Amino acid sequence: SLLETGNHSDFVITCQDETFNVHKAIVCPQSDFFEKALTFAAGKEAEDCNVNLPSEDSAIVRLLVQYFYKADYDPVCPPTGDLIPGSISPVQSVQHSCTGTGCYSYSCCKSYVCPHHCCGIDCSYDCVEFICSRCGQAPKGNAEQLLTHVKLYEVADKYGVTGLKDLSADKFRRALLKFWNNAEFPIAAHYACSTTPDSDMGLRSHIEKTILAHPKLLSKPEIEDMLKKFPNLAFRMLKEEKKV
């Protein structure tokens, strides 16, 4: 309600033509950047308790502010039973084997699914675009959210918002389960690799696993070009493929 009403606001974030009336006690403990910006501010910005972010996308900053107050951002993920947010480990995709699972639909043997998937019980013998409930469901919305999650990861890293960085990476992973074959995936993957150092595997690990789980993606020119531009990504994928 404080976010919606702006009541008792003692801090202003401006971005392009938008103004966000926020609260130091809520924002600063979650972000090293904003805490230091207020602590070491000078001149008019210090007097007004204002931090301006002129180079950022206002739509992304709006979601950043939403996270500060709600510990989530749009699109939100559907409920996942008794799973605790943040406790979901990344999906370890493996080639599905029908042996011992009671599955008689041989078409799914060529699919890649999570290792705890039980064919027939979970998916009624239909593994196409299957999203396991134990791995968490994909956020609502369309494939354009892939780039949104990547951009939130970028600003979370830039402004020291650790919780948002973890959440956006997990939402990116969940969205990939549903939208891996969409045209937005190569765009989001390229942006992720362009805006984070090679040592940051928060998004890269999910990109690599998605491509390895769906080899037909390698035939797409956009994916091929991305792997040429980021050879370390291709190298790690090659090492993982040899392990399998």
Side-chain angles (χ1 to χ4, degrees):
S1 62
L2 288 174
L3 173 61
E4 294 168 356
T5 64
N7 289 343
H8 313 297
S9 171
D10 54 1
F11 172 26
V12 177
I13 299 174
T14 55
C15 178
Q16 298 176 9
D17 59 346
E18 289 206 47
T19 299
F20 304 94
N21 296 310
V22 296
H23 305 77
K24 296 177 186 177
I26 292 176
V27 173
C28 293
Q30 300 184 72
S31 169
D32 295 338
F33 172 85
F34 288 110
E35 183 172 18
K36 292 176 181 177
L38 290 178
T39 302
F40 300 104
K44 184 171 175 50
E45 286 196 349
E47 182 180 341
D48 297 340
C49 284
N50 172 260
V51 173
N52 185 28
L53 308 175
S55 63
E56 301 295 351
D57 182 342
S58 60
I60 296 300
V61 174
R62 192 183 311 119
L63 295 178
L64 170 65
V65 173
Q66 181 185 13
Y67 170 80
F68 284 141
Y69 286 80
K70 299 186 177 181
D72 203 348
Y73 65 88
D74 297 327
V76 299
C77 292
T80 53
D82 57 357
L83 287 173
I84 301 174
S87 68
I88 305 169
S89 59
V91 176
Q92 301 292 326
S93 296
V94 295
Q95 190 162 12
H96 178 54
S97 171
C98 294
T99 306
T101 65
C103 174
Y104 301 99
S105 176
Y106 294 102
S107 61
C108 74
C109 293
K110 298 179 181 179
S111 301
Y112 282 77
V113 295
C114 51
H116 47 260
H117 171 60
C118 188
C119 194
I121 296 177
D122 292 328
C123 69
S124 300
Y125 307 111
D126 182 10
C127 300
V128 179
E129 295 187 4
F130 180 79
I131 300 174
C132 174
S133 60
R134 285 182 59 187
C135 293
Q137 295 177 326
K140 297 178 181 179
N142 54 39
E144 292 179 357
Q145 68 179 276
L146 289 172
L147 186 57
T148 297
H149 299 319
V150 171
K151 288 185 176 181
L152 261 296
Y153 187 91
E154 178 189 14
V155 299
D157 183 62
K158 183 187 298 185
Y159 299 125
V161 190
T162 304
L164 177 58
K165 193 173 180 181
D166 293 339
L167 177 63
S168 57
D170 187 59
K171 284 195 174 190
F172 181 65
R173 173 188 66 80
R174 297 190 196 193
L176 283 176
L177 295 173
K178 184 176 182 180
F179 301 117
W180 62 269
N181 199 30
N182 199 284
E184 272 72 16
F185 169 50
I187 297 172
H190 188 279
Y191 191 93
C193 294
S194 301
T195 55
T196 58
D198 189 65
S199 59
D200 189 333
M201 295 299 295
L203 298 177
R204 279 177 168 78
S205 62
H206 302 312
I207 294 170
E208 292 171 10
K209 289 173 184 176
T210 298
I211 296 175
L212 286 172
H214 306 285
K216 70 178 184 179
L217 287 171
L218 293 170
S219 63
K220 293 191 174 186
E222 301 89 343
I223 297 294
E224 185 179 354
D225 291 342
M226 182 186 67
L227 294 178
K228 288 179 180 178
K229 186 170 182 179
F230 304 101
N232 285 336
L233 189 71
F235 179 70
R236 282 192 298 265
M237 287 174 52
L238 182 61
K239 288 178 63 178
E240 289 299 318
E241 190 174 25
K242 287 183 177 179
K243 288 180 184 179
V244 176

